[in-house]
Amino acid sequence: MQNYLDELNEAQRSAVVETEGPSLVIAGAGSGKTRVLTYRIAHLLQQEVKPYRILALTFTNKAAREMKERIATVVGQHNASSLWMGTFHSIFARILRFESKHLGYPSSFTIYDTTDSKNLVKSIVKKMKLNEKAYKPGSVLSRISSAKNDLVTPVAYARDANRISADKASQMPMVYEIYSQYMRECYKSGVMDFDDLLLNTNILFRDFPDILQKYQHQYDYIMVDEYQDTNFSQYLIIKKLAENHKNICVVGDDAQSIYSFRGAKIENILNFRNDYPGYKIFKLEQNYRSSQNIVNAANSIIDKNQGQIQKNVFSENQIGNPIRVLKAYSDVEEGFLITNDIYEKRMKYQQEFKDFAILYRTNAQSRVFEEALRKKNLPYKIYGGLSFYQRKEIKDLLAYFRLTVNPADQEALKRVINYPARGIGKTTMDKVTAAADASGKTIWEILLNASATQLNVNAGTLKKLHAFVALIARFAAQLEQLSAYELAADIASASGIMHDLHGDKSIEGQGRIDNINELLNGIKDFSTTKQEEGITPSLVTFLEEVSLLTDQDNEGEDDINKITLMTIHSAKGLEFKNVYIVGVEEGLFPSLQSVDSEKALEEERRLFYVAVTRAEENATISFARSRYKYGELTYSRPSRFIGDIDQSYLEVNAEDITSVQPKNNTASIPRNFRKVGNQPSDRPNIKMNYSGSPTKPKINLNFNAATPDQIVPGVKVEHERFGRGKVINVEGLEPNRKATVAFENAGQKQLLLKFAKLKILT
Ligand SMILES: Nc1ncnc2c1ncn2[C@@H]1O[C@H](COP(=O)(O)OP(=O)(O)OP(=O)(O)O)[C@@H](O)[C@H]1O
Ligand SMILES: [Mg+2]
């Protein structure tokens, strides 16, 4: 057997072999932190530690899967599948399933996704007769989520002066009461939301010391990846579990803490030394992922933040190419520019699609890239946004599954009681819901027992309600008898969903049927895999896996060799040969909300650092000078972050940046960019000014449209959205004269001259 320890450098090796006692591995991006965790587990297994005595918490389920595979190749036959390895949410959901009765939840509790939670908040706000405009479900939920992650219960919330005054300031003084009702409703429905999984684990460990003890004994070794992004709730769970043996190894990088908006506490990593006196610290300094240029550029970015833990990061890989900065006229042109670049690079260097990633600040930016990629017929996969499991038909079927395992699940019930249509209208549901609220029972219990008079509905309606109950009860009765796949297929057809979809003969309708079939295939595959692992493949386990998927996990079999599109947040921990960071503009990245707060700005800068450090060989940054925001064309300036990168690692046309020459120079950042264009060499240092609203037009694009008679074949023109191009043909009579223009990046377009604003280039 090869010696796996030879595949590590000295610092990494020490971090791997010193398995006893608390260890902190703190190191920059790409230095092998995740590799250390992987090899440490392999090493423990090699030392005959039983796999089920190891608890390893990863950022995504996919990361856990890949680590398991790697471990299996390093140490061979060991049963890596019985490691307790996965995200916080999936591991503790598993534990809660065993222990749910202590907390008064059914072991088949179901999990609310964000939409369910929002719907519940909406109905509570309505019931409380609050102003629905002031109490936006998203804002209310994020207040509730923050409380849960800080382990603040509804009772504590009501007494928490800071929270109460913050709520008052945001015109939502009743959040504490909504929170309380929200908790009660979830409990009644036998459901937990994401934050509850952690909160309830904490409650379990706090109130049932013998159960805590059981798990303290179960895990001899605990490991956490991406520790800088743990919240208080996660921190405390780990602390409790490690209390006795203190065999805890956490790895992280304070410079990559990017989830504070979800309650992550950078302090957890900083306080490790206080929590575990006598801890060992391992510093990894060599970056194995990226070229020297990329590592050095990234270091120069993070240097601009105050208060980072001082770290050395160097690379001995090739010096590599400078980071390219590309300017686009518009977001549309940006799409074409990047797509063309990928196309050419792939041909020229014979790279694969999977070697390319396009990373953006917000999901909405994906659209123009999707369009450009589709036009060029390049395969891509997109993470986040409307993922497979968020599609309507899939959510409908999943809601039937949820009801089958947990009929108390109120949001699932509301979703499908009248889908497909069975004549159970809103008025009826209002009556049923009111009866449930009045009696403190679930809707399901009301449906089971209530009479027509109690509900104030006619006999016909009652019959329909009973038919629905009977349908779900029949599914539930088969839970034990049928495999997950058989039951799922039965539900898809007996619920009427398939019949309903077949009625829609459009292409979209066909697509929906394909999606349902795809889901059923997935369940079949799930059943087979679980059986091979010796686990009974029940619908309950399947639902749990689906509910706990993260953005990165959302990858199908045929997604392997495709261009990746994702937000920078979900790119954490990943690496690609070529990375495109797009939309690097003031007001977008850094985001508009962050520019007024130093703290928020530093988090954005860490996000930028994360983005750049995903690249192995080439990093490209692009910005567009105009883009549509909320339906309006707005002009933008290149981001200050471009100015953060030390000029010697950049390749930028200085002219592109000077177009944002400030009028007044407060808080300016002097930069002397490397010159690549034909550019007067005596140009003074370029100053960028970042005060003022980033969405205000600061640049004058000077699109004085040319008159139609100036537009003749051969003329070079510039278009506001498509950039530069050459006229190749003109046809038609005024006022419907059309020009065909071959744009440098956006391809060939036919434009109606009375509308198209074209500028003649000389
Ligand atoms: N000693 C080594 N020899 C060869 N390759 C290595 C070594 N250490 C790390 N690598 C490789 O370098 C890359 C980065 O490692 P890894 O992903 O573990 O870094 P990381 O510190 O977890 O990064 P991030 O902070 O982005 O999560 C991986 O491809 C890994 O396999
Ligand atoms: Mg990592």
Side-chain angles (χ1 to χ4, degrees):
M1 188 189 65
Q2 97 263 35
N3 192 348
Y4 55 93
L5 293 176
D6 294 342
E7 296 167 16
L8 302 166
N9 68 28
E10 215 175 303
Q12 292 173 332
R13 205 174 307 131
S14 324
V16 164
V17 299
E18 297 194 27
T19 53
E20 310 304 299
S23 296
L24 171 64
V25 179
I26 175 128
S31 57
K33 295 183 296 297
T34 303
R35 190 178 175 102
V36 160
L37 279 194
T38 311
Y39 280 67
R40 199 177 158 97
I41 296 168
H43 185 69
L44 286 167
L45 294 177
Q46 195 67 12
Q47 311 289 308
E48 308 288 325
V49 173
K50 294 276 177 281
Y52 52 81
R53 294 200 153 270
I54 299 175
L55 171 65
L57 298 156
T58 56
F59 181 59
T60 61
N61 299 299
K62 182 174 159 222
R65 232 174 8 249
E66 288 175 0
M67 281 167 83
K68 277 183 193 171
E69 281 165 18
R70 182 85 192 108
I71 291 164
T73 63
V74 176
V75 291
Q77 7 287 357
H78 286 286
N79 193 1
S81 68
S82 47
L83 286 163
W84 281 78
M85 190 151 157
T87 61
F88 272 92
H89 292 105
S90 57
I91 294 290
F92 295 108
R94 214 166 129 193
I95 290 184
L96 284 173
R97 248 197 234 285
F98 288 125
E99 314 294 350
S100 57
K101 58 179 182 299
H102 300 286
L103 297 174
Y105 282 88
S107 69
S108 56
F109 67 84
T110 40
I111 299 170
Y112 271 0
D113 69 6
T114 319
T115 319
D116 299 319
S117 298
K118 281 187 181 165
N119 286 339
L120 177 53
V121 168
K122 248 187 252 170
S123 67
I124 295 172
V125 166
K126 209 165 173 182
K127 205 163 32 180
M128 288 174 68
K129 301 199 167 53
L130 298 169
N131 178 354
E132 289 171 42
K133 290 218 174 69
Y135 290 86
K136 296 228 165 58
S139 317
V140 174
L141 264 182
S142 90
R143 303 286 301 147
I144 293 177
S145 167
S146 140
K148 286 184 180 174
N149 288 327
D150 290 344
L151 302 180
V152 174
T153 59
V155 176
Y157 196 118
R159 293 198 207 115
D160 185 329
N162 287 338
R163 283 180 201 272
I164 297 291
S165 67
D167 290 347
K168 279 188 184 148
S170 26
Q171 315 298 320
M172 304 188 291
M174 297 306 287
V175 168
Y176 74 94
E177 178 57 28
I178 303 175
Y179 179 21
S180 166
Q181 296 202 20
Y182 178 92
M183 287 292 261
R184 232 175 299 145
E185 287 291 330
C186 285
Y187 186 74
K188 195 173 87 177
S189 303
V191 303
M192 298 191 198
D193 68 13
F194 263 52
D195 303 315
D196 286 335
L197 296 171
L198 304 175
L199 177 66
N200 284 330
T201 305
N202 268 298
I203 294 174
L204 181 76
F205 288 169
R206 183 196 64 193
D207 297 349
F208 301 89
D210 48 326
I211 294 178
L212 171 63
Q213 229 173 44
K214 178 169 102 186
Y215 289 98
Q216 283 174 334
H217 284 149
Q218 162 146 357
Y219 307 120
D220 288 335
Y221 296 92
I222 299 174
M223 275 156 267
V224 189
D225 198 1
E226 307 277 3
Y227 192 64
Q228 76 281 353
D229 274 328
T230 46
N231 61 35
F232 181 65
S233 194
Q234 294 167 324
Y235 157 85
L236 207 62
I237 293 173
I238 290 305
K239 187 157 183 268
K240 285 192 170 160
L241 285 176
E243 214 158 49
N244 296 336
H245 51 64
K246 299 201 169 61
N247 290 331
I248 173 169
C249 172
V250 304
V251 314
D253 178 6
D254 55 311
Q256 294 186 67
S257 160
I258 54 175
Y259 276 100
S260 77
F261 69 97
R262 273 203 215 148
K265 299 264 185 292
I266 202 168
E267 294 82 11
N268 291 344
I269 206 163
L270 306 174
N271 290 339
F272 193 83
R273 59 198 74 197
N274 308 329
D275 292 335
Y276 303 97
Y279 75 108
K280 293 187 207 106
I281 184 161
F282 300 92
K283 293 192 174 178
L284 314 177
E285 302 194 325
Q286 180 164 358
N287 174 307
Y288 288 88
R289 175 182 296 148
S290 313
S291 70
Q292 293 188 23
N293 258 317
I294 290 168
V295 169
N296 294 339
N299 287 343
S300 73
I301 294 167
I302 207 65
D303 261 0
K304 306 291 181 299
N305 270 3
Q306 310 290 319
Q308 299 294 320
I309 296 177
Q310 201 52 42
K311 277 183 292 288
N312 245 349
V313 190
F314 67 92
S315 163
E316 285 183 358
N317 296 345
Q318 295 200 335
I319 294 180
N321 301 321
I323 296 184
R324 273 190 318 156
V325 179
L326 301 182
K327 176 194 81 169
Y329 285 87
S330 64
D331 48 354
V332 173
E333 204 214 17
E334 188 184 31
F336 289 113
L337 207 63
I338 303 299
T339 308
N340 294 347
D341 201 72
I342 293 176
Y343 188 83
E344 281 162 23
K345 264 217 189 81
R346 193 180 81 92
M347 293 301 209
K348 206 157 140 194
Y349 304 107
Q350 289 171 5
Q351 294 193 322
E352 300 196 69
F353 290 120
K354 68 169 161 40
D355 296 329
F356 295 87
I358 301 176
L359 307 181
Y360 33 78
R361 177 68 184 82
T362 60
N363 269 315
Q365 285 165 263
S366 72
R367 190 186 51 85
V368 288
F369 295 97
E370 289 186 71
E371 278 174 18
L373 288 164
R374 267 203 299 268
K375 285 207 177 109
K376 262 207 143 30
N377 261 327
L378 301 181
Y380 65 88
K381 59 189 163 192
I382 176 159
Y383 293 81
L386 206 59
S387 69
F388 182 77
Y389 292 101
Q390 294 297 318
R391 293 179 189 157
K392 182 187 174 296
E393 61 279 10
I394 298 299
K395 288 195 77 163
D396 290 337
L397 185 52
L398 290 177
Y400 274 100
F401 294 172
R402 276 162 55 184
L403 267 187
T404 302
V405 307
N406 174 23
D409 186 326
Q410 205 126 304
E411 293 305 321
L413 186 138
K414 285 183 185 166
R415 186 177 178 100
V416 293
I417 191 162
N418 200 33
Y419 176 76
R422 351 185 126 79
I424 303 175
K426 187 171 173 306
T427 325
T428 306
M429 276 316 283
D430 284 347
K431 287 178 187 164
V432 176
T433 313
D437 287 341
S439 61
K441 290 190 175 140
T442 61
I443 295 182
W444 178 254
E445 287 165 321
I446 296 293
L447 293 182
L448 270 183
N449 301 316
S451 65
T453 31
Q454 278 167 321
L455 286 178
N456 186 24
V457 295
N458 63 35
T461 305
L462 191 70
K463 209 166 147 198
K464 288 172 192 162
L465 291 173
H466 282 162
F468 179 74
V469 168
L471 179 72
I472 302 297
R474 175 166 86 72
F475 296 151
Q478 289 169 312
L479 261 173
E480 305 286 315
Q481 275 85 47
L482 299 182
S483 75
Y485 173 75
E486 289 164 331
L487 182 53
D490 182 32
I491 295 176
S493 101
S495 65
I497 290 187
M498 277 309 219
H499 184 260
D500 185 66
L501 294 180
H502 275 296
D504 179 354
K505 300 289 177 214
S506 65
I507 296 178
E508 292 80 21
Q510 184 55 45
R512 287 187 200 108
I513 294 171
D514 292 346
N515 286 339
I516 297 277
N517 285 327
E518 183 58 31
L519 180 73
L520 294 176
N521 291 339
I523 298 176
K524 184 130 210 187
D525 185 44
F526 160 88
S527 303
T528 323
T529 326
K530 288 291 155 193
Q531 249 152 7
E532 282 167 10
E533 287 176 11
I535 299 168
T536 317
S538 71
L539 205 56
V540 182
T541 354
F542 175 75
L543 263 184
E544 181 173 304
E545 285 208 359
V546 168
S547 314
L548 295 171
L549 288 176
T550 66
D551 275 357
Q552 278 189 19
D553 295 323
N554 187 19
E555 185 174 81
E557 290 268 309
D558 25 318
D559 278 345
I560 293 166
N561 193 16
K562 288 186 180 169
I563 298 165
T564 299
L565 270 67
M566 55 168 41
T567 63
I568 304 168
H569 277 103
S570 36
K572 204 165 76 146
L574 303 181
E575 53 194 21
F576 305 89
K577 283 203 174 80
N578 305 286
V579 167
Y580 295 83
I581 308 162
V582 300
V584 187
E585 295 146 31
E586 283 296 299
L588 187 56
F589 194 18
S591 71
L592 197 52
Q593 295 80 358
S594 69
V595 292
D596 293 329
S597 135
E598 199 48 42
K599 213 171 146 211
L601 201 55
E602 293 215 341
E603 178 141 331
E604 293 281 302
R605 191 175 282 113
R606 291 195 292 269
L607 194 57
F608 190 53
Y609 171 80
V610 169
V612 170
T613 53
R614 299 308 98 201
E616 297 169 12
E617 295 171 6
N618 294 298
T620 305
I621 292 169
S622 66
F623 61 89
R625 298 209 308 181
S626 71
R627 69 174 64 239
Y628 275 97
K629 274 185 197 157
Y630 311 111
E632 268 187 53
L633 188 66
T634 57
Y635 296 100
S636 24
R637 296 174 295 147
S639 164
R640 71 191 71 199
F641 293 154
I642 300 174
D644 283 346
I645 303 178
D646 193 316
Q647 52 158 329
S648 46
Y649 311 118
L650 279 185
E651 178 186 313
V652 58
N653 188 340
E655 217 174 51
D656 293 346
I657 314 283
T658 44
S659 60
V660 293
Q661 278 275 25
K663 289 199 181 67
N664 54 354
N665 270 332
T666 47
S668 62
I669 301 169
R671 276 283 158 249
N672 198 357
F673 288 104
R674 176 203 281 222
K675 192 180 66 138
V676 265
N678 47 351
Q679 166 79 30
S681 53
D682 58 349
R683 184 179 290 283
N685 277 1
I686 299 154
K687 302 216 183 239
M688 291 203 246
N689 170 35
Y690 297 107
S691 59
S693 157
T695 49
K696 244 194 271 162
K698 273 277 186 318
I699 42 172
N700 181 4
L701 287 175
N702 256 335
F703 276 104
N704 295 328
T707 53
D709 60 321
Q710 288 176 293
I711 306 290
V712 290
V715 161
K716 287 199 176 138
V717 293
E718 195 171 281
H719 181 270
E720 205 176 16
R721 309 270 300 149
F722 303 128
R724 289 165 199 257
K726 194 170 168 182
V727 178
I728 50 178
N729 187 32
V730 180
E731 62 189 30
L733 294 173
E734 284 296 334
N736 291 323
R737 247 172 113 66
K738 283 182 203 157
T740 309
V741 184
F743 289 99
E744 284 172 12
N745 299 304
Q748 195 162 313
K749 309 247 177 240
Q750 209 176 46
L751 304 167
L752 204 52
L753 288 175
K754 67 178 167 191
F755 293 131
K757 285 191 194 151
L758 290 174
K759 178 180 146 190
I760 305 268
L761 293 174
T762 43

